Amino acid sequence: MSSDIDFDEILGKYRMDPYAYVDICAPHTGVVNFKLDKGTAVDGVGGEWNHIPGTPLFQITRERNRRVVNAPITGIVSKIEVERDGQFVEAGEKLITIRYPLKKKEIIENILKEVLYLFVAPEKAKYFFSLDIQSRIEKKGSRAVTIRQGDEIFTMSLMKRDTPVYYTGQEGVIHSIYFKPGVSIAQGEPLVGICDEDTLPMIQKVITRVKAEWDSLYSGM
Amino acid sequence: MNSRLSASRLRSYIKDVELPVRTNVWPEPEASLILRFGAGIGSVLEHHAELHRTMLQARSHISAIERADKSVVSGTTILADRLTGSKGRFTRHWHAPQGGLWGSTIYVNTLLPRSRLLLPVAAGIAGCEAVRESGAQDAVIRWINDVLIGGSKVGGFLAESLTGARSREEYCLIGFGINVNNEQFPEEIQATATSLGRHLGRPVDLETFTYCFLAKLSWNIGLLHYYEEALLPDLTPNGSGHPLIRRWRELSDSPGKRVLFGFDVMASPQYRATVSSITEDGGLQLVLEDGSEITEYSGEIRYL
């Protein structure tokens, strides 16, 4: 991790464009039919258990199978590939972009994600810390728990099949935890952010600086 | 358990008992093919009078074989008459005295992820079918794979995956515990556990039951391979769906039940809902109290 972080550059980036953009792609090949227009406000998944689907964005039909793709997040449709409406599209083709304003916590997390080592979910599943790591976290707090290459860090649980997950990456302490036990995590989403002990003060500096800049950052919006 | 238990006797049981049972429903060529797909299960049988945990023994077995630069036989099954340190999921204790069927099967994974997902489902179906065939016709499956008789648990299954340290093979350990003739249970589970023998009012031949269960496991894991092979040429599901899921729906009483759901439902129940069905990939479809629907792939339920 670099110790030379240009805070002005990072914060300047968020001042200029305090939004996040989520691209929605075709999940598989098929004929696409959009269900809304550019500028439409959409709702993401909701409900206490994230069980209420978001606003329908488009329908994609392959063979006789129709699939509706819903908005994963609340925001505004900032871009839509209208010329592809009614056309055959390839899997992975970008069809819609949703824009949403970032909150302070998200900005801090985004910056930290640039400076922490992120250990990501190998599969869509539910995760919980291994018993050893969990007991160490309960005793000392996560930022006092050091993780090394090869440590059994998580148990991944899917359909009552438990798989130990071993840590691969730089040695360090668990700075950020991005999952909740019992909540499904998509493949590739970060589970924990790790940093070495020496850089913990610098991480704290990032957080303090963003918090201090917060008012001025958003006074320009 | 009788020490005559052997892989060759299991093969004979499958040929003489299991195959005729299956040909009542399936054409003989398909039934034979499915059993050939699952033929590895129990092809090596290791039997102990006592073990701490069969899952640990399975891990030791894998380590020892890999250290010797050999390959683990897929389907190797480790059985013990009693366990001294058996456990269920999380930190739950599992009571495993003499009289029950306790064991683990080492499956060296060659299934695609979508099929592998259903291994715990296959184990539960095998357990329920074996219990029914032994006389308890009212045995049912509670999602994902608990086997119940009259609302009390008679069998439970665990699956764990690991990667071989040397071979990098992916191993799936399928742990099974079925209360066959053991009738005494610790006080804390007396109200929720039962055994096949207690239910039938007579002891069950444990050796025959062991063969019966392993034959069912062989069939149901064979079904995963069979369906995968049938599916791959055109990569689109056929209209009748996965035969394993069809079978689960026949054996389960979960659909329609009001349930409490949780990842660890005993320690941290999350919400109440009504089960509507399971999806083609084994997910539990629930209707919440506000009418919205949710599909869960991990966790457990208790009936309300």
Side-chain angles (χ1 to χ4, degrees):
Chain A
M1 187 175 79
S2 167
S3 59
D4 303 319
I5 295 178
D6 188 337
F7 291 119
D8 291 333
E9 185 188 335
I10 292 174
L11 291 171
K13 189 177 85 177
Y14 285 109
R15 269 201 194 88
M16 283 174 62
D17 188 16
Y19 296 97
Y21 298 84
V22 177
D23 291 331
I24 313 296
C25 302
H28 52 67
T29 54
V31 175
V32 67
N33 292 105
F34 291 110
K35 291 183 169 289
L36 35 63
D37 303 308
K38 183 178 175 183
T40 305
V42 294
D43 292 322
V45 291
E48 191 178 358
W49 312 106
N50 281 338
H51 58 281
I52 301 171
T55 306
L57 299 175
F58 57 85
Q59 176 180 287
I60 187 162
T61 307
R62 182 176 61 183
E63 301 287 333
R64 289 178 298 282
N65 297 314
R66 286 191 296 275
R67 176 172 176 178
V68 174
V69 174
N70 302 82
I73 197 151
T74 300
I76 303 285
V77 174
S78 63
K79 195 174 178 194
I80 186 164
E81 306 295 331
V82 283
E83 73 283 0
R84 304 297 279 144
D85 196 31
Q87 303 288 309
F88 184 86
V89 297
E90 296 290 346
E93 193 172 326
K94 190 166 83 178
L95 298 172
I96 280 178
T97 302
I98 298 172
R99 187 186 77 171
Y100 71 95
L102 288 165
K103 296 174 182 148
K104 176 170 69 173
K105 193 178 167 194
E106 288 173 308
I107 291 176
I108 290 172
E109 281 177 4
N110 284 353
I111 294 171
L112 287 181
K113 280 176 183 172
E114 288 179 30
V115 295
L116 295 173
Y117 172 76
L118 300 179
F119 187 73
V120 302
E123 284 183 43
K124 181 181 177 182
K126 291 180 180 179
Y127 290 83
F128 50 96
F129 282 115
S130 65
L131 291 176
D132 174 50
I133 299 286
Q134 184 63 43
S135 73
R136 284 159 61 194
I137 289 174
E138 283 167 8
K139 272 185 203 157
K140 301 188 274 183
S142 66
R143 288 177 193 170
V145 175
T146 301
I147 301 290
R148 296 180 180 85
Q149 182 102 4
D151 284 352
E152 184 182 330
I153 182 169
F154 297 113
T155 298
M156 177 179 79
S157 185
L158 186 63
M159 294 289 288
K160 213 173 165 184
R161 177 173 57 88
D162 293 340
T163 307
V165 178
Y166 297 94
Y167 179 69
T168 52
Q170 66 174 50
E171 180 179 324
V173 296
I174 301 173
H175 183 276
S176 299
I177 299 170
Y178 300 112
F179 73 101
K180 287 182 188 166
V183 176
S184 272
I185 304 295
Q187 183 179 29
E189 287 297 307
L191 293 166
V192 288
I194 305 290
C195 74
D196 63 68
E197 279 184 69
D198 295 342
T199 51
L200 260 179
M202 195 195 68
I203 298 282
Q204 195 51 49
K205 199 171 148 192
V206 173
I207 296 169
T208 308
R209 178 76 189 268
V210 174
K211 283 180 176 169
E213 293 272 344
W214 174 249
D215 288 338
S216 63
L217 181 67
Y218 274 73
S219 63
M221 281 180 65
Chain B
M1 194 188 300
N2 195 315
S3 58
R4 290 181 308 153
L5 206 66
S6 73
S8 63
R9 283 172 183 268
L10 173 61
R11 296 274 73 78
S12 299
Y13 182 93
I14 289 173
K15 181 168 163 278
D16 299 338
V17 181
E18 185 64 16
L19 181 61
V21 166
R22 298 300 179 181
T23 51
N24 287 332
V25 179
W26 290 74
E28 200 280 334
E30 272 84 356
S32 292
L33 177 64
I34 291 165
L35 285 169
R36 281 204 299 279
F37 274 130
I41 303 304
S43 56
V44 174
L45 280 179
E46 193 181 299
H47 177 224
H48 301 260
E50 181 179 289
L51 283 176
H52 187 58
R53 287 182 62 205
T54 58
M55 291 297 241
L56 294 180
Q57 182 71 15
R59 286 171 184 268
S60 302
H61 178 85
I62 291 168
S63 300
I65 296 281
E66 290 213 342
R67 273 198 306 275
D69 269 337
K70 293 182 177 169
S71 297
V72 176
V73 176
S74 186
T76 296
T77 298
I78 295 161
L79 301 164
D81 291 344
R82 58 187 173 274
L83 305 176
T84 56
S86 56
K87 63 183 277 292
R89 299 192 78 208
F90 310 109
T91 53
R92 294 174 199 160
H93 179 68
W94 181 273
H95 182 60
Q98 194 99 16
L101 174 61
W102 325 118
S104 295
T105 291
I106 303 169
Y107 173 74
V108 186
N109 184 41
T110 53
L111 289 165
L112 294 170
R114 191 184 163 105
S115 304
R116 183 191 57 186
L117 196 66
L118 298 178
L119 276 172
V121 177
I125 292 173
C128 189
E129 287 181 334
V131 169
R132 281 193 179 196
E133 204 160 294
S134 302
Q137 292 296 330
D138 50 346
V140 291
I141 302 174
R142 179 177 64 194
W143 188 84
I144 298 173
N145 57 14
D146 289 336
V147 179
L148 311 180
I149 302 177
S152 298
K153 189 162 171 175
V154 70
F157 305 87
L158 282 174
E160 295 174 7
S161 291
L162 68 142
T163 303
R166 286 197 180 187
S167 67
R168 310 311 296 163
E169 286 275 17
E170 185 193 1
Y171 300 102
C172 293
L173 308 184
I174 302 166
F176 45 88
I178 302 177
N179 299 321
V180 183
N181 291 321
N182 52 313
E183 297 202 10
Q184 304 299 318
F185 298 99
E187 196 178 334
E188 65 272 19
I189 58 167
Q190 272 177 15
T192 56
T194 192
S195 70
L196 182 56
R198 177 194 279 184
H199 176 75
L200 296 175
R202 59 172 169 81
V204 174
D205 184 301
L206 187 54
E207 184 179 321
T208 304
F209 183 83
T210 303
Y211 289 139
C212 179
F213 170 71
L214 291 176
K216 305 293 180 197
L217 189 61
S218 179
W219 170 267
N220 285 291
I221 288 179
L223 265 183
L224 291 173
H225 289 275
Y226 169 80
Y227 187 67
E228 197 170 273
E229 180 169 280
L231 191 68
L232 281 175
D234 64 3
L235 292 170
T236 51
N238 63 31
S240 55
H242 201 302
L244 202 73
I245 297 296
R246 277 208 310 276
R247 186 66 177 137
W248 188 94
R249 288 176 181 140
E250 288 168 7
L251 295 172
S252 178
D253 70 337
S254 293
K257 283 274 199 297
R258 286 253 309 136
V259 299
L260 190 60
F261 176 87
F263 181 60
D264 176 357
V265 74
M266 307 297 282
S268 314
Q270 287 176 267
Y271 58 81
R272 288 161 191 258
T274 302
V275 176
S276 56
S277 187
I278 64 165
T279 60
E280 274 297 298
D281 52 1
L284 182 72
Q285 294 177 304
L286 297 152
V287 180
L288 301 186
E289 287 174 340
D290 64 2
S292 53
E293 294 183 3
I294 187 169
T295 303
E296 295 282 1
Y297 287 90
S298 198
E300 50 190 14
I301 55 174
R302 290 291 178 272
Y303 296 152
L304 293 170

